[in-house]
C-alpha cells in the first residue's frame, strides 16, 4: 500500500529525481516508515550514521534504534502518536547504531497523509549531534568548573564589581578573608573594605579609574574585615570589557598577606638585630671576605682584637693578619681554598695584630654560597677568636701532667732502694742489742721513715694538683682519732724537745670521715708545729664540740707567720723561712694537703698568727654526724696464732727480693724468689704457694698480666696475691684490684704491715 502511495506521489518521472536526492544526502538519515513503524526506505546518510545496509534494515521496526531505557518508556509508539496528533515530533536523545554504540540524535518525525487525511506513513529525519552535544557539554562543564573554581577558592577573595564599584558576585574565599557572606556583600560598594582615611582621600575610586585606563591595577595595603580587624592585602583589579572595548565592570582578586608581611618584618628585625649583634661583638673579630679574600665588612671586635679600624682594612687582602713566614708559605690562600672546597674550615695558628704582636687564634672560615647550585661562592665569613690564654692554660696543664708523671717515676725509683734498706734494718734489728748498733738502726729507721714521708708527699702533690684524692668515709669518733694520731707523733715531738698537751672534748664527737686521711691531717699539723718550733717549745692540741661542727686546734710557740705568709700558707710548695741550722725540711705540701682533705670532708681550715716569732694556731672544723643512734660496740678480736705460710716473692730487683725473703724466713715462713713473670708462673704451679708477693713493674710480663695468668690456673684458685710496688697512685691501686690482687702495699714495706698481711 505504502509503495503504491509513494509511486503515486512520485509520478510524472520524479521517482528517479527523488532517489538521486535521497542518495546525495550524507549528513542526515532520511527514511520512510509505514503506519506501523516499519522501515520502508533507507538512504546513504542513514547507512553512514546508523551502520545498517538497506537490505539489513528495511522491513524492521524503527524501535531497533532506541536504547533499552527508551523502550521501557515506550518512546517509539509515543513518537508516532504525537506526530499524528501535532503534525510532527521533535526529540533529542541517545540512539543506537548497529554495533551497539550510542550517538546523540536530533530526530524529526512527520506523518504522511492521504487526500482524505488518512495516515499513509511517516518520514523520519535523524541527524548525528554527538560532536555538537559534546562541545556544548564541554562548554557547560567548563563554565560550571570555572564557577565552582571561583566559588570554592578559599585562599583568594574573588569577586566582581559593576562599573561603579558595586559588588555583583562573591566567592567563599572572600567570605573567609573579609568575613562577609554573599548576602551581606553583594549590592554594596567595595569601599567598605578600606580604612576611613583611604576612603576620605578617594583611593577606592582612584583604583577603579587607574584600572579602567590601564586594564589592570595592583596594590598592597591595609584592608578592614567585617569585625573591624585589619589585614595586609595584595589586590589585583582587572577591567572587564566587551569585544568593542566597552567597560562592563571589574574583577577583583584579594589575597591576605598578613602572615607574609609579619615574616618579612621579623626578617628585617632579625637582620637588623644580627647587624647590631655582629657590630656589637667585641670578643670575636667577625668580617666578610669576597671570593678573592678581600675584606668587605669589619666589626668592632675586629678592631679590638686585631687593632685595625675599618678604614685600614676594607678592600685589603686578609693575608695582612698572618705572620710573614705564613704569607711566604701561601697559608692564607691555602686556607681559603680549603674553605671553598669543604664549605667550612676551622684552624688554629698564630695571627698578627696591627702593632706587630702575635696571638694564638682560632679561625673559622665559612663559604657563602652563590645563587644557584652551580654558581661560584660569593665569598667567606671569617670569625677569629683569641685563644692565647687557653693555649697557655693547656701548656700549663700539659706541664702539670708531665710533672705528675715525673713524680710518679721518681717516687718509684726512690722506693726501690728504700725497700731493701728498710728490710735490712728490720733484719739487723733482730740480731743485735748493742746500744751503739741499736742507735744506728734507730737512726736509719727514722731517716727511712722521713724519706718515705717525702716520697708520699711527692705523690700527694700530684694528687692535689690533679684533684685525684679519694675518700673512703666511715663512722668515726673524733676524740679517739685525734688521741691515736697524737700518740703516734708524740715520740717525734719529744725528740725535738717540745712539750705536748692534749685537751679532748668531754663527750664523744661522731663524724663521717676517712680514717687514714684524717689521721694524716693531724700528723701533718703536728709535724709542721714540731719542725717550725725552736726547742724547747710547747704544742697544744684541743678538740671541742661547737654544735653543728667539731673544732680541732693545733697551737704552737714556734716561729709564727707573717701576714703575707698567712695568705699563701695553704698553697702547695709554700714554706716559712728556712734557717740554715735546720736539719729537717720538707716539700711545703703539708698544709696544702690538710686543706684539700678537710674541704673534701665538708670542713674548713684556717691559720692565725700574731706575727713572726709569736707562734701559730691552725683551726680545723668538721661537720658533726647527725645520726643519734648509738653505734654497736665492736666485737672482741680473736687472737690469731701465726702459722708458717708458703710464700713466693716475685721482684726483678735482686736486693729487694732477697731482703724481703730473708725477713719472711726469719718469721718462720717458707719463701721462694722469682725474678720475672715466666719464672714465677712455673714456680707457682709447682709450689702452690699460699701467698704471692708480686712486684708490678716486672720486665716483659708486668705484674698485672702475671696476676691474671696466675688466676687462670685452677690449682691456684685459693692463692692470695699482694701487690708490692713502688707505684702508689690511686690509679695503680685500682688497676691492681681489677687484676685480682687482694692487697696493695708500697715500697719500702713496713715490716709490721707485712707481717699482718702474711699472717
Amino acid at each position: 500500500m505504502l509503495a503504491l502511495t509513494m509511486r503515486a506521489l512520485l509520478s510524472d518521472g520524479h521517482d528517479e529525481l527523488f532517489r538521486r536526492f535521497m542518495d546525495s544526502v550524507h549528513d542526515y538519515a532520511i527514511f520512510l516508515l509505514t503506519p506501523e513503524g516499519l522501515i520502508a526506505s533507507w538512504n546513504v546518510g542513514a547507512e553512514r550514521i546508523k551502520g545498517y545496509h538497506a537490505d539489513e534494515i528495511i522491513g524492521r521496526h524503527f524501535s531497533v534504534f532506541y536504547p533499552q531505557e527508551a523502550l521501557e518508556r515506550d518512546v517509539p509508539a509515543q513518537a508516532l502518536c504525537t506526530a499524528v496528533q501535532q503534525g510532527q515530533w521533535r526529540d533529542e536523545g541517545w540512539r543506537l547504531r548497529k554495533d551497539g554504540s550510542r550517538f546523540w540524535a536530533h530526530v524529526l518525525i512527520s506523518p504522511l497523509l492521504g487526500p482524505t487525511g488518512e495516515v499513509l506513513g511517516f518520514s523520519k529525519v535523524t541527524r548525528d549531534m554527538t560532536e555538537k552535544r559534546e562541545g556544548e557539554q564541554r562548554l557547560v562543564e567548563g563554565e560550571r568548573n570555572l564557577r565552582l573554581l571561583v566559588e570554592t577558592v578559599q585562599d583568594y577573595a574573588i569577586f566582581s564589581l559593576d562599573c561603579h564599584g558595586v559588588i555583583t558576585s562573591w566567592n567563599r574565599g572572600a567570605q573567609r578573608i573579609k568575613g562577609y557572606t554573599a548576602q551581606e556583600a553583594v549590592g554594596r560598594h567595595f569601599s567598605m573594605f578600606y580604612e576611613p582615611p583611604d576612603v576620605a582621600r578617594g583611593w577606592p575610586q582612584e583604583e577603579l579609574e587607574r584600572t579602567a585606563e590601564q586594564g589592570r591595577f595592583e596594590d598592597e595595603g591595609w584592608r578592614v574585615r567585617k569585625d573591624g580587624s585589619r589585614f595586609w592585602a595584595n589586590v589585583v583589579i582587572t577591567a572587564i570589557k566587551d569585544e568593542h572595548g566597552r567597560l562592563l565592570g571589574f574583577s577583583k582578586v584579594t589575597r591576605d598577606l598578613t602572615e607574609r608581611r609579619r615574616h618579612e618584618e621579623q626578617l628585617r628585625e632579625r637582620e637588623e638585630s644580627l647587624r647590631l649583634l655582629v657590630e656589637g661583638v667585641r670578643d670575636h673579630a667577625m668580617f666578610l671576605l669576597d671570593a678573592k679574600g678581600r675584606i668587605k665588612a669589619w666589626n668592632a671586635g675586629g678592631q679590638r682584637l686585631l687593632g685595625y679600624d675599618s678604614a685600614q682594612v676594607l678592600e685589603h687582602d686578609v693575608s695582612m693578619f698572618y705572620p710573614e713566614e705564613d704569607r711566604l708559605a701561601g697559608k692564607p690562600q691555602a686556607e681559603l681554598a680549603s674553605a671553598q672546597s669543604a664549605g667550612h674550615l676551622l684552624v688554629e695558628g698564630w695571627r698578627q695584630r696591627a702593632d706587630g704582636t702575635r696571638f694564638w687564634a682560632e679561625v673559622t672560615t665559612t663559604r657563602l654560597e652563590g645563587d644557584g647550585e652551580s654558581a661560584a661562592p660569593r665569598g667567606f665569613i671569617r670569625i677569629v677568636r683569641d685563644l692565647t690564654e687557653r693555649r697557655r692554660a693547656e701548656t700549663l696543664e700539659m706541664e702539670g701532667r708531665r710533672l705528675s708523671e715525673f713524680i710518679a717515676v721518681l717516687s718509684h725509683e726512690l722506693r726501690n732502694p728504700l725497700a731493701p734498706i728498710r728490710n735490712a734494718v728490720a733484719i739487723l734489728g733482730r740480731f743485735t742489742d748493742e746500744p751503739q748498733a741499736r742507735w744506728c738502726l734507730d737512726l736509719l729507721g727514722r731517716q727511712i721513715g722521713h724519706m718515705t714521708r717525702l716520697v708520699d708527699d711527692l705523690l700527694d702533690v700530684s694528687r692535689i694538683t690533679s684533684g685525684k684524692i679519694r675518700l673512703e668515709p666511715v663512722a668515726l669518733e673524733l676524740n679517739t682519732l685525734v688521741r691515736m694520731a697524737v700518740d703516734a707523733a708524740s715520740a717525734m715531738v719529744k725528740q725535738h724537745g717540745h712539750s705536748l698537751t692534749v685537751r679532748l672534748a668531754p663527750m664523744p664527737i661522731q663524724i663521717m670521715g676517712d680514717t687514714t686521711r684524717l689521721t694524716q691531717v693531724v700528723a701533718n699539723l703536728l709535724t709542721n708545729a714540731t719542725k717550725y718550733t725552736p726547742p724547747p717549745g710547747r704544742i697544744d692540741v684541743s678538740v671541742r664540740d661547737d654544735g653543728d661542727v667539731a673544732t680541732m686546734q693545733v697551737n704552737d710557740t714556734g716561729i709564727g707567720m707573717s701576714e703575707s705568709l698567712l695568705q699563701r700558707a695553704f698553697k702547695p710548695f709554700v714554706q716559712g723561712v728556712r734557717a740554715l741550722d735546720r736539719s729537717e725540711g720538707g716539700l711545703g705540701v703539708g698544709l696544702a694537703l690538710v686543706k684539700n682533705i678537710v674541704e673534701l670532708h665538708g670542713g674548713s681550715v684556717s691559720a692565725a698568727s700574731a706575727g713572726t716569732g709569736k707562734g701559730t694556731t691552725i683551726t680545723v672544723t668538721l661537720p658533726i654526724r647527725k645520726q643519734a643512734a648509738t653505734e654497736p660496740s665492736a666485737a672482741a678480736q680473736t687472737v690469731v696464732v701465726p702459722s708458717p705460710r708458703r710464700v713466693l716473692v716475685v721482684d726483678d730487683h735482686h736486693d729487694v727480693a732477697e731482703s724481703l725473703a730473708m725477713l719472711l724466713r726469719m718469721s718462720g715462713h717458707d719463701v721462694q724468689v722469682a725474678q720475672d713473670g715466666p719464672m714465677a708462673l712455673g714456680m707457682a704451679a709447682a709450689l702452690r704457694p699460699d701467698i704471692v708477693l708480686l712486684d708490678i713493674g716486672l720486665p716483659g710480663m708486668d705484674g698485672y698480666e702475671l696476676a691474671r695468668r696466675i688466676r687462670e690456673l685452677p690449682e691456684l684458685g685459693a692463692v692470695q696475691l699482694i701487690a708490692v710496688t713502688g707505684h702508689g697512685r690511686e690509679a695503680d691501686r685500682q688497676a691492681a684490684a681489677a687484676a685480682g690482687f687482694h692487697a696493695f702495699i708500697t715500697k719500702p714495706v713496713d715490716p709490721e704491715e707485712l707481717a699482718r698481711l702474711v699472717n
Side-chain angles (χ1 to χ4, degrees):
M1 179 66 181
L2 177 60
L4 293 175
T5 304
M6 293 301 298
R7 279 196 295 271
L9 291 171
L10 297 174
S11 59
D12 301 329
H14 291 90
D15 184 34
E16 181 63 23
L17 181 62
F18 177 74
R19 185 182 60 78
R20 290 183 179 182
F21 165 71
M22 293 289 288
D23 289 340
S24 67
V25 176
H26 290 73
D27 294 333
Y28 293 84
I30 304 174
F31 53 95
L32 297 175
L33 303 177
T34 66
E36 295 80 16
L38 300 177
I39 300 169
S41 68
W42 197 250
N43 77 328
V44 176
E47 182 176 339
R48 185 187 69 81
I49 293 174
K50 296 180 181 286
Y52 292 95
H53 293 294
D55 56 359
E56 294 176 314
I57 197 63
I58 292 176
R60 297 179 65 181
H61 197 275
F62 81 106
S63 61
V64 71
F65 308 131
Y66 286 78
Q68 183 62 35
E69 61 268 20
L71 295 176
E72 291 175 355
R73 292 186 285 112
D74 201 18
V75 172
Q78 293 177 11
L80 297 182
C81 181
T82 302
V84 172
Q85 293 175 355
Q86 298 181 4
Q88 65 177 5
W89 183 75
R90 292 178 180 273
D91 182 38
E92 285 194 7
W94 293 111
R95 298 295 185 268
L96 297 177
R97 295 187 177 93
K98 176 184 176 182
D99 60 6
S101 62
R102 295 189 176 200
F103 66 97
W104 190 262
H106 179 274
V107 178
L108 175 63
I109 300 178
S110 301
L112 298 177
L113 303 176
T116 59
E118 69 275 18
V119 177
L120 302 178
F122 299 91
S123 66
K124 185 175 182 184
V125 179
T126 302
R127 186 179 180 187
D128 185 354
M129 303 294 289
T130 306
E131 290 186 4
K132 179 182 177 184
R133 186 177 189 278
E134 289 176 350
E136 290 174 348
Q137 287 292 107
R138 286 195 295 270
L139 180 60
V140 171
E141 187 72 17
E143 291 176 349
R144 186 178 68 86
N145 291 341
L146 179 61
R147 178 178 56 80
L148 291 175
L149 173 65
V150 172
E151 288 180 355
T152 57
V153 167
Q154 301 205 27
D155 292 333
Y156 293 83
I158 303 174
F159 53 98
S160 58
L161 310 174
D162 65 12
C163 297
H164 304 291
V166 175
I167 301 168
T168 57
S169 69
W170 193 252
N171 79 327
R172 294 181 188 177
Q175 180 173 340
R176 188 188 67 82
I177 293 174
K178 297 178 182 286
Y180 294 91
T181 64
Q183 291 79 6
E184 293 171 324
V186 173
R188 299 179 64 181
H189 197 272
F190 82 110
S191 60
M192 68 182 193
F193 309 130
Y194 290 73
E195 294 185 302
D198 292 334
V199 176
R201 66 187 178 95
W203 181 243
Q205 188 59 35
E206 185 174 343
E207 284 186 337
L208 295 184
E209 291 173 359
R210 291 189 183 184
T211 304
E213 180 181 349
Q214 302 170 8
R216 181 181 182 276
F217 179 75
E218 183 172 359
D219 182 35
E220 286 193 7
W222 292 109
R223 296 294 184 269
V224 181
R225 296 186 178 92
K226 177 184 176 181
D227 61 6
S229 61
R230 301 164 76 217
F231 68 98
W232 187 260
N234 172 268
V235 177
V236 177
I237 305 176
T238 304
I240 302 174
K241 299 181 179 181
D242 62 14
E243 63 274 14
H244 303 294
R246 184 167 57 90
L247 182 66
L248 302 177
F250 303 92
S251 67
K252 187 173 184 183
V253 179
T254 301
R255 187 179 181 189
D256 184 357
L257 296 183
T258 308
E259 194 67 18
R260 190 189 76 178
R261 178 180 171 84
R262 185 175 65 82
H263 288 160
E264 291 173 348
E265 289 293 326
Q266 290 176 344
L267 179 60
R268 281 192 290 269
E269 291 175 2
R270 285 197 297 268
E271 290 175 346
E272 179 64 15
S273 299
L274 181 60
R275 183 186 64 80
L276 294 174
L277 174 64
V278 171
E279 291 180 355
V281 169
R282 296 184 175 274
D283 294 333
H284 294 68
M286 304 174 68
F287 46 96
L288 182 67
L289 308 177
D290 65 12
K292 295 183 179 180
R294 292 188 295 262
I295 301 169
K296 293 295 184 180
W298 187 253
N299 78 326
Q303 181 172 348
R304 188 196 67 80
L305 183 59
L306 293 164
Y308 297 92
D309 60 34
S310 58
Q312 294 174 296
V313 298
L314 292 180
E315 300 301 330
H316 286 71
D317 193 88
V318 72
S319 60
M320 66 187 293
F321 307 130
Y322 288 75
E324 183 178 1
E325 60 271 21
D326 288 345
R327 292 198 299 269
L328 294 176
K331 193 171 183 179
Q333 295 78 14
E335 289 183 358
L336 288 181
S338 297
Q340 179 172 340
S341 174
H344 180 81
L345 180 67
L346 175 64
V347 297
E348 290 187 11
W350 293 108
R351 294 297 183 269
Q352 190 166 291
R353 298 185 178 92
D355 60 5
T357 59
R358 295 187 178 191
F359 66 99
W360 187 258
E362 177 190 78
V363 182
T364 304
T365 307
T366 304
R367 180 182 64 201
L368 284 177
E369 302 293 347
D371 297 329
E373 294 183 359
S374 60
R378 290 184 294 167
F380 305 90
I381 296 174
R382 177 159 286 187
I383 301 175
V384 180
R385 186 160 64 114
D386 185 355
L387 295 185
T388 307
E389 288 302 319
R390 192 190 78 176
R391 180 178 171 84
R392 183 180 295 112
E394 290 174 348
T395 302
L396 291 174
E397 183 180 350
M398 186 186 307
E399 293 300 325
R401 286 197 299 269
R402 290 177 180 173
L403 176 61
S404 297
E405 293 170 0
F406 169 74
I407 289 174
V409 172
L410 178 62
S411 299
H412 177 265
E413 295 304 317
L414 290 174
R415 289 182 192 277
N416 271 331
L418 284 174
I421 295 174
R422 170 169 274 183
N423 294 339
V425 169
I427 293 169
L428 288 174
R430 298 190 181 189
F431 288 100
T432 181
D433 289 325
E434 292 292 329
Q436 290 182 338
R438 176 59 60 184
W439 179 85
C440 290
L441 292 175
D442 290 344
L443 182 146
L444 287 172
R446 288 193 301 272
Q447 295 306 315
I448 290 171
H450 180 61
M451 292 188 67
T452 302
R453 285 194 298 273
L454 289 178
V455 172
D456 289 337
D457 284 349
L458 280 172
L459 288 177
D460 282 335
V461 169
S462 176
R463 294 187 183 107
I464 291 172
T465 55
S466 61
K468 292 183 178 179
I469 289 183
R470 297 290 182 265
L471 303 181
E472 296 180 5
V474 295
L476 296 175
E477 201 285 303
L478 185 58
N479 284 332
T480 304
L481 182 139
V482 171
R483 184 174 60 251
M484 293 176 64
V486 170
D487 290 344
S490 59
M492 175 190 66
V493 175
K494 291 178 181 179
Q495 181 185 353
H496 282 74
H498 305 315
S499 64
L500 177 62
T501 60
V502 179
R503 293 190 303 275
L504 300 177
M507 299 295 292
I509 301 176
Q510 299 295 327
I511 64 171
M512 288 294 294
D514 186 308
T515 305
T516 302
R517 286 302 182 180
L518 288 179
T519 302
Q520 187 178 9
V521 166
V522 179
N524 281 4
L525 293 179
L526 290 174
T527 300
N528 264 19
T530 302
K531 289 192 299 183
Y532 290 99
T533 300
R538 189 180 73 254
I539 300 173
D540 297 324
V541 179
S542 65
V543 178
R544 67 177 184 268
D545 185 339
D546 286 336
D548 291 334
V549 296
T551 301
M552 180 187 69
Q553 284 187 329
V554 177
N555 183 63
D556 65 60
T557 58
I559 63 174
M561 294 187 188
S562 64
E563 186 63 34
S564 62
L565 182 57
L566 284 172
Q567 296 176 2
R568 302 180 291 117
F570 295 100
K571 294 183 179 179
F573 309 114
V574 173
Q575 292 180 318
V577 177
R578 298 179 65 122
L580 292 177
D581 60 350
R582 282 189 55 212
S583 61
E584 294 187 50
L587 300 176
V589 299
L591 289 182
L593 186 60
V594 166
K595 181 176 185 295
N596 192 272
I597 293 173
V598 170
E599 289 180 350
L600 286 175
H601 281 81
S604 65
V605 61
S606 61
S609 177
T612 304
K614 296 182 180 180
T616 304
T617 299
I618 305 295
T619 303
V620 173
T621 65
L622 293 168
I624 292 178
R625 188 181 180 202
K626 297 301 182 181
Q627 184 173 346
T630 304
E631 297 292 335
S633 59
Q637 295 183 350
T638 303
V639 178
V640 179
V641 178
S643 60
R645 313 293 294 274
R646 289 192 306 276
V647 181
L648 176 62
V649 175
V650 185
D651 200 311
D652 63 317
H653 195 291
H654 180 269
D655 290 343
V656 173
E658 291 299 332
S659 62
L660 187 58
M662 182 178 295
L663 188 61
L664 290 169
R665 289 185 186 117
M666 292 175 65
S667 298
H669 301 294
D670 180 9
V671 185
Q672 300 293 327
V673 175
Q675 278 75 43
D676 56 38
M679 182 178 179
L681 270 178
M683 294 179 67
L687 297 173
R688 297 191 180 184
D690 301 310
I691 296 171
V692 177
L693 296 173
L694 178 54
D695 184 27
I696 299 300
L698 295 174
M701 183 190 302
D702 64 25
Y704 300 130
E705 177 63 22
L706 178 55
R708 284 189 284 268
R709 298 278 291 274
I710 290 175
R711 285 275 171 243
E712 292 173 357
L713 297 175
E715 62 271 22
L716 297 177
V719 69
Q720 301 293 306
L721 300 180
I722 300 175
V724 183
T725 176
H727 297 287
R729 296 173 300 179
E730 182 63 28
D732 300 318
R733 294 179 181 273
Q734 294 175 359
F741 284 95
H742 294 86
F744 184 98
I745 54 177
T746 56
K747 299 175 183 178
V749 176
D750 183 348
E752 293 183 1
E753 182 182 6
L754 178 63
R756 180 181 59 81
L757 289 174
V758 173
N759 293 330

